[in-house]
Amino acid sequence: MDKRVKQHVLEYLKDLCSEERASIQSLELLMSYDQEEMLFAPLIAALQQAIVEAKHIIVVLEQP
């Protein structure tokens, strides 16, 4: 992968992780109002998994 492209991908993934964390926090707040049905729980789990996967890719790309 071209070094410049690699840098753009890393920046994008790091931004994505940051945005996903903010989304999770917002959804957790909404979930606090909906504790009976837990409508947002699957979405939160999916976002958390996306962060895990993105962090794995970041680690791989940051290796020399």
Side-chain angles (χ1 to χ4, degrees):
M1 182 181 301
D2 180 282
K3 196 173 187 176
R4 201 178 63 146
V5 171
K6 186 176 177 179
Q7 186 60 36
H8 285 293
V9 170
L10 282 170
E11 289 174 19
Y12 172 77
L13 288 174
K14 288 176 181 179
D15 287 345
L16 180 67
C17 287
S18 175
E19 289 172 15
E20 295 292 333
R21 281 192 206 107
S23 295
I24 289 170
Q25 290 172 345
S26 297
L27 287 170
E28 286 173 339
L29 178 62
L30 287 173
M31 200 166 75
S32 70
Y33 297 109
D34 181 37
Q35 293 184 355
E36 290 178 19
E37 293 184 46
M38 301 295 283
L39 292 174
F40 301 103
L43 185 54
I44 290 171
L47 289 171
Q48 289 170 329
Q49 185 61 38
I51 290 173
V52 168
E53 296 298 329
K55 285 182 177 182
H56 174 72
I57 295 168
I58 289 168
V59 168
V60 170
L61 290 176
E62 286 182 332
Q63 292 178 358

